[in-house]
Amino acid sequence: MKNMYSQKETDILNYAEMNKNKWKNMGIEYCTVEDERYPNTLKKITDRPVLLYYRGNIEIINEYHNIAVIGSRKCSLKGRKISYDTGKYLAEKNVNVVNGLALGCDTEALKGTIAGGGRCIGILPAGLDDILPKSNQKLADEIVMKDGCLISEYPVGTPVKKYQYVRRDRLQSGLSDGVLIVEAEEQSGTMHTVEFAQNQYKRLACYYHKLVELSSGNRKLEEAGQISVIEDKKRLEEFVEAVMKEQTYEQLTLF
């Protein structure tokens, strides 16, 4: 596989190798796409990063099932509660919860997971030395302490740029076995992740739009079909069971 690296990927690998000891002293390591620690699900997408930087236990990604629980930053009180309860339920099912550590639904899902004794995977849009948002620094540290991990495709010292949030979204769905939308408006970053998930053939679900308030995205997904609509705990159980039985497929490149 080494001969298949582009010049850009080779430069990324060389830079990481040069700095690995310095970053290791900060608690940050990396694995390449050839490494056993690299997420198996992520290897299957067409634009997977050549390497991932991480803090914490990255091996949990390959050891357990992973479900991305995502939604609006400015979520409603209903959305906050559902996010928290979903995280706690997935923890009880021994499923890792994945998202971008954003405010709102993401944060509440992670808190619920930790409260339930589960493991979290937070994916950042910048270097791992720059937790975004700053207010989630304590939560990020707790994720690592509770056998979870933080991941980024960017080296230490990389500042965040707007496009990197969208690039991060492909990783949220890419390393997950399923994607669950709690609450989202039609024009939102959450819908970027949905689009990536569809292209990556991930199992998708959303909460029924009447259960939350900021739900134009939920309604659009329901109307389009081909998505599990969660109206109660039984439907949530069915979705999680289906994800845990799901076979994996490689993302196709169309010419």
Side-chain angles (χ1 to χ4, degrees), residues 180-207:
L180 173 53
I181 298 91
V182 176
E183 177 179 43
E185 296 285 36
E186 187 173 343
Q187 301 297 323
S188 67
T190 299
M191 301 304 282
H192 289 144
T193 305
V194 169
E195 186 174 349
F196 283 121
Q198 291 170 331
N199 291 335
Q200 295 164 357
Y201 306 105
K202 302 293 181 176
R203 186 174 287 274
L204 273 165
C206 71
Y207 277 96

PDB file of all heavy atoms in Angstrom, residues 180-207:
ATOM      1  N   LEU A 180     -27.701   8.525  13.640  1.00  0.00           N
ATOM      2  CA  LEU A 180     -28.990   8.848  14.236  1.00  0.00           C
ATOM      3  C   LEU A 180     -29.111  10.362  14.423  1.00  0.00           C
ATOM      4  O   LEU A 180     -28.312  10.968  15.127  1.00  0.00           O
ATOM      5  CB  LEU A 180     -29.129   8.142  15.583  1.00  0.00           C
ATOM      6  CG  LEU A 180     -30.338   8.456  16.458  1.00  0.00           C
ATOM      7  CD1 LEU A 180     -31.639   8.290  15.688  1.00  0.00           C
ATOM      8  CD2 LEU A 180     -30.329   7.563  17.681  1.00  0.00           C
ATOM      9  N   ILE A 181     -30.113  10.951  13.761  1.00  0.00           N
ATOM     10  CA  ILE A 181     -30.343  12.404  13.855  1.00  0.00           C
ATOM     11  C   ILE A 181     -31.413  12.656  14.903  1.00  0.00           C
ATOM     12  O   ILE A 181     -32.525  12.133  14.809  1.00  0.00           O
ATOM     13  CB  ILE A 181     -30.805  12.987  12.491  1.00  0.00           C
ATOM     14  CG1 ILE A 181     -29.714  12.787  11.449  1.00  0.00           C
ATOM     15  CG2 ILE A 181     -31.144  14.467  12.630  1.00  0.00           C
ATOM     16  CD1 ILE A 181     -29.832  11.495  10.675  1.00  0.00           C
ATOM     17  N   VAL A 182     -31.073  13.449  15.901  1.00  0.00           N
ATOM     18  CA  VAL A 182     -32.025  13.766  16.959  1.00  0.00           C
ATOM     19  C   VAL A 182     -32.946  14.891  16.514  1.00  0.00           C
ATOM     20  O   VAL A 182     -34.173  14.746  16.482  1.00  0.00           O
ATOM     21  CB  VAL A 182     -31.304  14.163  18.258  1.00  0.00           C
ATOM     22  CG1 VAL A 182     -32.325  14.587  19.322  1.00  0.00           C
ATOM     23  CG2 VAL A 182     -30.453  13.001  18.768  1.00  0.00           C
ATOM     24  N   GLU A 183     -32.357  16.016  16.136  1.00  0.00           N
ATOM     25  CA  GLU A 183     -33.130  17.217  15.822  1.00  0.00           C
ATOM     26  C   GLU A 183     -32.303  18.091  14.890  1.00  0.00           C
ATOM     27  O   GLU A 183     -31.166  18.426  15.210  1.00  0.00           O
ATOM     28  CB  GLU A 183     -33.427  17.979  17.122  1.00  0.00           C
ATOM     29  CG  GLU A 183     -34.170  19.282  16.950  1.00  0.00           C
ATOM     30  CD  GLU A 183     -34.450  19.953  18.289  1.00  0.00           C
ATOM     31  OE1 GLU A 183     -33.543  19.985  19.159  1.00  0.00           O
ATOM     32  OE2 GLU A 183     -35.564  20.450  18.468  1.00  0.00           O
ATOM     33  N   ALA A 184     -32.856  18.432  13.733  1.00  0.00           N
ATOM     34  CA  ALA A 184     -32.070  19.215  12.781  1.00  0.00           C
ATOM     35  C   ALA A 184     -32.969  20.005  11.839  1.00  0.00           C
ATOM     36  O   ALA A 184     -34.009  19.509  11.392  1.00  0.00           O
ATOM     37  CB  ALA A 184     -31.158  18.305  11.961  1.00  0.00           C
ATOM     38  N   GLU A 185     -32.553  21.209  11.541  1.00  0.00           N
ATOM     39  CA  GLU A 185     -33.223  21.992  10.518  1.00  0.00           C
ATOM     40  C   GLU A 185     -32.700  21.567   9.153  1.00  0.00           C
ATOM     41  O   GLU A 185     -31.614  20.976   9.038  1.00  0.00           O
ATOM     42  CB  GLU A 185     -32.977  23.488  10.738  1.00  0.00           C
ATOM     43  CG  GLU A 185     -33.566  24.024  12.036  1.00  0.00           C
ATOM     44  CD  GLU A 185     -35.078  24.199  11.989  1.00  0.00           C
ATOM     45  OE1 GLU A 185     -35.774  23.378  11.341  1.00  0.00           O
ATOM     46  OE2 GLU A 185     -35.574  25.166  12.584  1.00  0.00           O
ATOM     47  N   GLU A 186     -33.471  21.865   8.120  1.00  0.00           N
ATOM     48  CA  GLU A 186     -33.107  21.426   6.770  1.00  0.00           C
ATOM     49  C   GLU A 186     -31.788  22.025   6.316  1.00  0.00           C
ATOM     50  O   GLU A 186     -30.987  21.364   5.661  1.00  0.00           O
ATOM     51  CB  GLU A 186     -34.228  21.794   5.790  1.00  0.00           C
ATOM     52  CG  GLU A 186     -34.018  21.242   4.406  1.00  0.00           C
ATOM     53  CD  GLU A 186     -35.215  21.468   3.512  1.00  0.00           C
ATOM     54  OE1 GLU A 186     -36.316  21.767   4.040  1.00  0.00           O
ATOM     55  OE2 GLU A 186     -35.060  21.343   2.281  1.00  0.00           O
ATOM     56  N   GLN A 187     -31.550  23.295   6.645  1.00  0.00           N
ATOM     57  CA  GLN A 187     -30.291  23.946   6.297  1.00  0.00           C
ATOM     58  C   GLN A 187     -29.387  23.928   7.532  1.00  0.00           C
ATOM     59  O   GLN A 187     -29.361  24.860   8.315  1.00  0.00           O
ATOM     60  CB  GLN A 187     -30.543  25.385   5.837  1.00  0.00           C
ATOM     61  CG  GLN A 187     -31.455  25.517   4.636  1.00  0.00           C
ATOM     62  CD  GLN A 187     -30.875  24.851   3.394  1.00  0.00           C
ATOM     63  OE1 GLN A 187     -29.668  24.884   3.165  1.00  0.00           O
ATOM     64  NE2 GLN A 187     -31.738  24.249   2.581  1.00  0.00           N
ATOM     65  N   SER A 188     -28.661  22.842   7.709  1.00  0.00           N
ATOM     66  CA  SER A 188     -27.812  22.716   8.887  1.00  0.00           C
ATOM     67  C   SER A 188     -26.636  21.810   8.596  1.00  0.00           C
ATOM     68  O   SER A 188     -26.643  21.029   7.633  1.00  0.00           O
ATOM     69  CB  SER A 188     -28.609  22.152  10.067  1.00  0.00           C
ATOM     70  OG  SER A 188     -29.000  20.815   9.817  1.00  0.00           O
ATOM     71  N   GLY A 189     -25.604  21.901   9.439  1.00  0.00           N
ATOM     72  CA  GLY A 189     -24.439  21.039   9.286  1.00  0.00           C
ATOM     73  C   GLY A 189     -24.775  19.574   9.451  1.00  0.00           C
ATOM     74  O   GLY A 189     -24.125  18.704   8.857  1.00  0.00           O
ATOM     75  N   THR A 190     -25.795  19.296  10.259  1.00  0.00           N
ATOM     76  CA  THR A 190     -26.216  17.911  10.465  1.00  0.00           C
ATOM     77  C   THR A 190     -26.572  17.245   9.139  1.00  0.00           C
ATOM     78  O   THR A 190     -26.266  16.070   8.912  1.00  0.00           O
ATOM     79  CB  THR A 190     -27.432  17.860  11.416  1.00  0.00           C
ATOM     80  OG1 THR A 190     -27.052  18.405  12.681  1.00  0.00           O
ATOM     81  CG2 THR A 190     -27.923  16.436  11.597  1.00  0.00           C
ATOM     82  N   MET A 191     -27.194  18.008   8.252  1.00  0.00           N
ATOM     83  CA  MET A 191     -27.617  17.437   6.974  1.00  0.00           C
ATOM     84  C   MET A 191     -26.420  17.128   6.069  1.00  0.00           C
ATOM     85  O   MET A 191     -26.523  16.289   5.167  1.00  0.00           O
ATOM     86  CB  MET A 191     -28.602  18.374   6.288  1.00  0.00           C
ATOM     87  CG  MET A 191     -29.856  18.661   7.116  1.00  0.00           C
ATOM     88  SD  MET A 191     -30.752  17.169   7.620  1.00  0.00           S
ATOM     89  CE  MET A 191     -31.601  16.781   6.079  1.00  0.00           C
ATOM     90  N   HIS A 192     -25.280  17.792   6.306  1.00  0.00           N
ATOM     91  CA  HIS A 192     -24.061  17.426   5.588  1.00  0.00           C
ATOM     92  C   HIS A 192     -23.666  16.005   5.960  1.00  0.00           C
ATOM     93  O   HIS A 192     -23.302  15.196   5.102  1.00  0.00           O
ATOM     94  CB  HIS A 192     -22.901  18.373   5.941  1.00  0.00           C
ATOM     95  CG  HIS A 192     -23.046  19.757   5.394  1.00  0.00           C
ATOM     96  ND1 HIS A 192     -22.627  20.876   6.073  1.00  0.00           N
ATOM     97  CD2 HIS A 192     -23.579  20.207   4.242  1.00  0.00           C
ATOM     98  CE1 HIS A 192     -22.888  21.947   5.361  1.00  0.00           C
ATOM     99  NE2 HIS A 192     -23.463  21.566   4.243  1.00  0.00           N
ATOM    100  N   THR A 193     -23.728  15.716   7.258  1.00  0.00           N
ATOM    101  CA  THR A 193     -23.380  14.371   7.707  1.00  0.00           C
ATOM    102  C   THR A 193     -24.338  13.337   7.127  1.00  0.00           C
ATOM    103  O   THR A 193     -23.929  12.237   6.743  1.00  0.00           O
ATOM    104  CB  THR A 193     -23.396  14.299   9.249  1.00  0.00           C
ATOM    105  OG1 THR A 193     -22.538  15.315   9.777  1.00  0.00           O
ATOM    106  CG2 THR A 193     -22.912  12.935   9.733  1.00  0.00           C
ATOM    107  N   VAL A 194     -25.612  13.694   7.046  1.00  0.00           N
ATOM    108  CA  VAL A 194     -26.607  12.802   6.450  1.00  0.00           C
ATOM    109  C   VAL A 194     -26.233  12.477   5.011  1.00  0.00           C
ATOM    110  O   VAL A 194     -26.281  11.317   4.579  1.00  0.00           O
ATOM    111  CB  VAL A 194     -28.013  13.429   6.508  1.00  0.00           C
ATOM    112  CG1 VAL A 194     -28.999  12.632   5.655  1.00  0.00           C
ATOM    113  CG2 VAL A 194     -28.501  13.514   7.946  1.00  0.00           C
ATOM    114  N   GLU A 195     -25.844  13.482   4.265  1.00  0.00           N
ATOM    115  CA  GLU A 195     -25.475  13.275   2.861  1.00  0.00           C
ATOM    116  C   GLU A 195     -24.264  12.354   2.738  1.00  0.00           C
ATOM    117  O   GLU A 195     -24.230  11.449   1.890  1.00  0.00           O
ATOM    118  CB  GLU A 195     -25.182  14.616   2.189  1.00  0.00           C
ATOM    119  CG  GLU A 195     -24.941  14.516   0.701  1.00  0.00           C
ATOM    120  CD  GLU A 195     -24.801  15.869   0.023  1.00  0.00           C
ATOM    121  OE1 GLU A 195     -25.104  16.901   0.666  1.00  0.00           O
ATOM    122  OE2 GLU A 195     -24.375  15.901  -1.144  1.00  0.00           O
ATOM    123  N   PHE A 196     -23.276  12.575   3.593  1.00  0.00           N
ATOM    124  CA  PHE A 196     -22.114  11.682   3.578  1.00  0.00           C
ATOM    125  C   PHE A 196     -22.533  10.252   3.925  1.00  0.00           C
ATOM    126  O   PHE A 196     -22.069   9.295   3.306  1.00  0.00           O
ATOM    127  CB  PHE A 196     -21.057  12.170   4.580  1.00  0.00           C
ATOM    128  CG  PHE A 196     -20.263  13.351   4.113  1.00  0.00           C
ATOM    129  CD1 PHE A 196     -20.260  14.534   4.842  1.00  0.00           C
ATOM    130  CD2 PHE A 196     -19.512  13.298   2.951  1.00  0.00           C
ATOM    131  CE1 PHE A 196     -19.530  15.635   4.423  1.00  0.00           C
ATOM    132  CE2 PHE A 196     -18.772  14.396   2.513  1.00  0.00           C
ATOM    133  CZ  PHE A 196     -18.781  15.567   3.256  1.00  0.00           C
ATOM    134  N   ALA A 197     -23.394  10.126   4.920  1.00  0.00           N
ATOM    135  CA  ALA A 197     -23.846   8.802   5.343  1.00  0.00           C
ATOM    136  C   ALA A 197     -24.557   8.068   4.216  1.00  0.00           C
ATOM    137  O   ALA A 197     -24.371   6.856   4.019  1.00  0.00           O
ATOM    138  CB  ALA A 197     -24.763   8.928   6.559  1.00  0.00           C
ATOM    139  N   GLN A 198     -25.369   8.793   3.455  1.00  0.00           N
ATOM    140  CA  GLN A 198     -26.066   8.173   2.334  1.00  0.00           C
ATOM    141  C   GLN A 198     -25.086   7.691   1.270  1.00  0.00           C
ATOM    142  O   GLN A 198     -25.230   6.594   0.738  1.00  0.00           O
ATOM    143  CB  GLN A 198     -27.062   9.176   1.743  1.00  0.00           C
ATOM    144  CG  GLN A 198     -28.239   9.475   2.661  1.00  0.00           C
ATOM    145  CD  GLN A 198     -29.083  10.637   2.190  1.00  0.00           C
ATOM    146  OE1 GLN A 198     -28.590  11.555   1.526  1.00  0.00           O
ATOM    147  NE2 GLN A 198     -30.366  10.614   2.526  1.00  0.00           N
ATOM    148  N   ASN A 199     -24.076   8.507   0.984  1.00  0.00           N
ATOM    149  CA  ASN A 199     -23.077   8.127  -0.021  1.00  0.00           C
ATOM    150  C   ASN A 199     -22.203   6.973   0.449  1.00  0.00           C
ATOM    151  O   ASN A 199     -21.625   6.243  -0.367  1.00  0.00           O
ATOM    152  CB  ASN A 199     -22.191   9.329  -0.359  1.00  0.00           C
ATOM    153  CG  ASN A 199     -22.948  10.416  -1.111  1.00  0.00           C
ATOM    154  OD1 ASN A 199     -23.945  10.135  -1.766  1.00  0.00           O
ATOM    155  ND2 ASN A 199     -22.486  11.653  -1.010  1.00  0.00           N
ATOM    156  N   GLN A 200     -22.091   6.822   1.767  1.00  0.00           N
ATOM    157  CA  GLN A 200     -21.268   5.755   2.340  1.00  0.00           C
ATOM    158  C   GLN A 200     -22.091   4.512   2.683  1.00  0.00           C
ATOM    159  O   GLN A 200     -21.571   3.573   3.278  1.00  0.00           O
ATOM    160  CB  GLN A 200     -20.564   6.272   3.601  1.00  0.00           C
ATOM    161  CG  GLN A 200     -19.557   7.387   3.331  1.00  0.00           C
ATOM    162  CD  GLN A 200     -19.172   8.146   4.594  1.00  0.00           C
ATOM    163  OE1 GLN A 200     -19.689   7.892   5.679  1.00  0.00           O
ATOM    164  NE2 GLN A 200     -18.251   9.083   4.460  1.00  0.00           N
ATOM    165  N   TYR A 201     -23.370   4.523   2.310  1.00  0.00           N
ATOM    166  CA  TYR A 201     -24.262   3.392   2.552  1.00  0.00           C
ATOM    167  C   TYR A 201     -24.411   3.051   4.035  1.00  0.00           C
ATOM    168  O   TYR A 201     -24.427   1.877   4.421  1.00  0.00           O
ATOM    169  CB  TYR A 201     -23.795   2.148   1.771  1.00  0.00           C
ATOM    170  CG  TYR A 201     -23.623   2.418   0.303  1.00  0.00           C
ATOM    171  CD1 TYR A 201     -22.354   2.545  -0.250  1.00  0.00           C
ATOM    172  CD2 TYR A 201     -24.730   2.566  -0.526  1.00  0.00           C
ATOM    173  CE1 TYR A 201     -22.191   2.818  -1.597  1.00  0.00           C
ATOM    174  CE2 TYR A 201     -24.575   2.825  -1.885  1.00  0.00           C
ATOM    175  CZ  TYR A 201     -23.300   2.958  -2.414  1.00  0.00           C
ATOM    176  OH  TYR A 201     -23.138   3.228  -3.743  1.00  0.00           O
ATOM    177  N   LYS A 202     -24.521   4.071   4.856  1.00  0.00           N
ATOM    178  CA  LYS A 202     -24.718   3.857   6.289  1.00  0.00           C
ATOM    179  C   LYS A 202     -26.209   3.780   6.604  1.00  0.00           C
ATOM    180  O   LYS A 202     -27.038   4.432   5.962  1.00  0.00           O
ATOM    181  CB  LYS A 202     -24.095   5.011   7.083  1.00  0.00           C
ATOM    182  CG  LYS A 202     -22.608   5.212   6.847  1.00  0.00           C
ATOM    183  CD  LYS A 202     -21.797   4.053   7.389  1.00  0.00           C
ATOM    184  CE  LYS A 202     -20.310   4.291   7.149  1.00  0.00           C
ATOM    185  NZ  LYS A 202     -19.471   3.240   7.750  1.00  0.00           N
ATOM    186  N   ARG A 203     -26.541   2.996   7.613  1.00  0.00           N
ATOM    187  CA  ARG A 203     -27.931   2.927   8.064  1.00  0.00           C
ATOM    188  C   ARG A 203     -28.269   4.231   8.781  1.00  0.00           C
ATOM    189  O   ARG A 203     -27.525   4.688   9.645  1.00  0.00           O
ATOM    190  CB  ARG A 203     -28.142   1.732   8.983  1.00  0.00           C
ATOM    191  CG  ARG A 203     -29.596   1.518   9.377  1.00  0.00           C
ATOM    192  CD  ARG A 203     -29.757   0.232  10.171  1.00  0.00           C
ATOM    193  NE  ARG A 203     -29.634  -0.948   9.341  1.00  0.00           N
ATOM    194  CZ  ARG A 203     -30.636  -1.497   8.670  1.00  0.00           C
ATOM    195  NH1 ARG A 203     -31.857  -0.968   8.732  1.00  0.00           N
ATOM    196  NH2 ARG A 203     -30.460  -2.577   7.945  1.00  0.00           N
ATOM    197  N   LEU A 204     -29.404   4.817   8.411  1.00  0.00           N
ATOM    198  CA  LEU A 204     -29.797   6.128   8.925  1.00  0.00           C
ATOM    199  C   LEU A 204     -31.116   6.061   9.687  1.00  0.00           C
ATOM    200  O   LEU A 204     -32.011   5.292   9.349  1.00  0.00           O
ATOM    201  CB  LEU A 204     -29.976   7.117   7.764  1.00  0.00           C
ATOM    202  CG  LEU A 204     -28.749   7.873   7.275  1.00  0.00           C
ATOM    203  CD1 LEU A 204     -29.051   8.493   5.916  1.00  0.00           C
ATOM    204  CD2 LEU A 204     -28.363   8.969   8.262  1.00  0.00           C
ATOM    205  N   ALA A 205     -31.217   6.912  10.709  1.00  0.00           N
ATOM    206  CA  ALA A 205     -32.470   7.051  11.441  1.00  0.00           C
ATOM    207  C   ALA A 205     -32.608   8.482  11.920  1.00  0.00           C
ATOM    208  O   ALA A 205     -31.609   9.208  12.081  1.00  0.00           O
ATOM    209  CB  ALA A 205     -32.509   6.099  12.630  1.00  0.00           C
ATOM    210  N   CYS A 206     -33.842   8.909  12.138  1.00  0.00           N
ATOM    211  CA  CYS A 206     -34.083  10.211  12.767  1.00  0.00           C
ATOM    212  C   CYS A 206     -35.272  10.083  13.708  1.00  0.00           C
ATOM    213  O   CYS A 206     -36.136   9.218  13.514  1.00  0.00           O
ATOM    214  CB  CYS A 206     -34.333  11.305  11.734  1.00  0.00           C
ATOM    215  SG  CYS A 206     -35.934  11.191  10.883  1.00  0.00           S
ATOM    216  N   TYR A 207     -35.284  10.924  14.711  1.00  0.00           N
ATOM    217  CA  TYR A 207     -36.454  10.950  15.593  1.00  0.00           C
ATOM    218  C   TYR A 207     -37.620  11.610  14.863  1.00  0.00           C
ATOM    219  O   TYR A 207     -37.432  12.540  14.060  1.00  0.00           O
ATOM    220  CB  TYR A 207     -36.124  11.689  16.890  1.00  0.00           C
ATOM    221  CG  TYR A 207     -35.431  10.796  17.893  1.00  0.00           C
ATOM    222  CD1 TYR A 207     -34.042  10.784  18.015  1.00  0.00           C
ATOM    223  CD2 TYR A 207     -36.175   9.949  18.704  1.00  0.00           C
ATOM    224  CE1 TYR A 207     -33.410   9.949  18.911  1.00  0.00           C
ATOM    225  CE2 TYR A 207     -35.549   9.104  19.612  1.00  0.00           C
ATOM    226  CZ  TYR A 207     -34.172   9.106  19.716  1.00  0.00           C
ATOM    227  OH  TYR A 207     -33.554   8.268  20.600  1.00  0.00           O
TER     228      TYR A 207
END
